[in-house]
Amino acid sequence: MQHKYLPEVYVRFLERFPDVAEAHGELARIVRERNSFDDRTDRLIKLAVAVGSEAEGAVRSNVRKALQHGATVEDVQAVALAAITTCGFPTAIAALGWIESVVLAPSDA
């Protein structure tokens, strides 16, 4: 099953390495179950880590997931703005651009 919002490189990864994808998913599930955060907070934390890492794909993915779990556009933008003083202005501006590309993307729904 292919979702339109999944990057093609990720879809190919799932197809070529299903066992690795399954193990990765299981690890993510175990880690998520060990924390005390609700899903919205968990996704905002993961977004912050992705922003700090300048990981464009992870930023885009976690923006989508944060919004699905009740975060607002203002919430995800606030994460990027918080990066100004810890990660630097260029990192924050890049993240705001990646966030905007997700928020402004046409919806299939």
Side-chain angles (χ1 to χ4, degrees), residues 39-55:
D39 289 338
R40 177 185 162 278
T41 302
D42 182 60
R43 283 298 164 186
L44 290 172
I45 291 168
K46 289 177 180 174
L47 174 59
V49 172
V51 168
S53 300
E54 298 183 35

Side-chain angles (χ1 to χ4, degrees), residues 7 9-10 24 42-66 76 79 95 98-99 101-102:
V9 66
Y10 182 69
H24 179 261
D42 182 60
R43 283 298 164 186
L44 290 172
I45 291 168
K46 289 177 180 174
L47 174 59
V49 172
V51 168
S53 300
E54 298 183 35
E56 180 179 353
V59 168
R60 292 174 190 268
S61 175
N62 282 290
V63 166
R64 283 191 302 271
K65 292 174 183 177
V76 296
V79 170
W98 299 329
I99 290 167
S101 72
V102 171

Side-chain angles (χ1 to χ4, degrees), residues 2-3 9 11 13 21 43 52 91 96 106:
Q2 185 169 344
H3 301 280
V9 66
V11 171
F13 165 75
R43 283 298 164 186
T91 297
L96 285 168

Side-chain angles (χ1 to χ4, degrees), residues 15-97:
E15 292 169 352
R16 292 182 64 203
F17 308 104
D19 54 337
V20 176
E22 183 178 338
H24 179 261
E26 180 65 9
L27 176 60
R29 182 192 62 75
I30 291 168
V31 170
R32 189 171 46 254
E33 288 175 356
R34 289 186 54 87
N35 77 43
S36 61
F37 303 114
D38 59 63
D39 289 338
R40 177 185 162 278
T41 302
D42 182 60
R43 283 298 164 186
L44 290 172
I45 291 168
K46 289 177 180 174
L47 174 59
V49 172
V51 168
S53 300
E54 298 183 35
E56 180 179 353
V59 168
R60 292 174 190 268
S61 175
N62 282 290
V63 166
R64 283 191 302 271
K65 292 174 183 177
L67 294 172
Q68 291 168 354
H69 287 289
T72 65
V73 172
E74 291 79 15
D75 292 333
V76 296
Q77 289 172 333
V79 170
L81 291 173
I84 292 172
T85 57
T86 55
C87 303
F89 190 74
T91 297
I93 293 303
L96 285 168

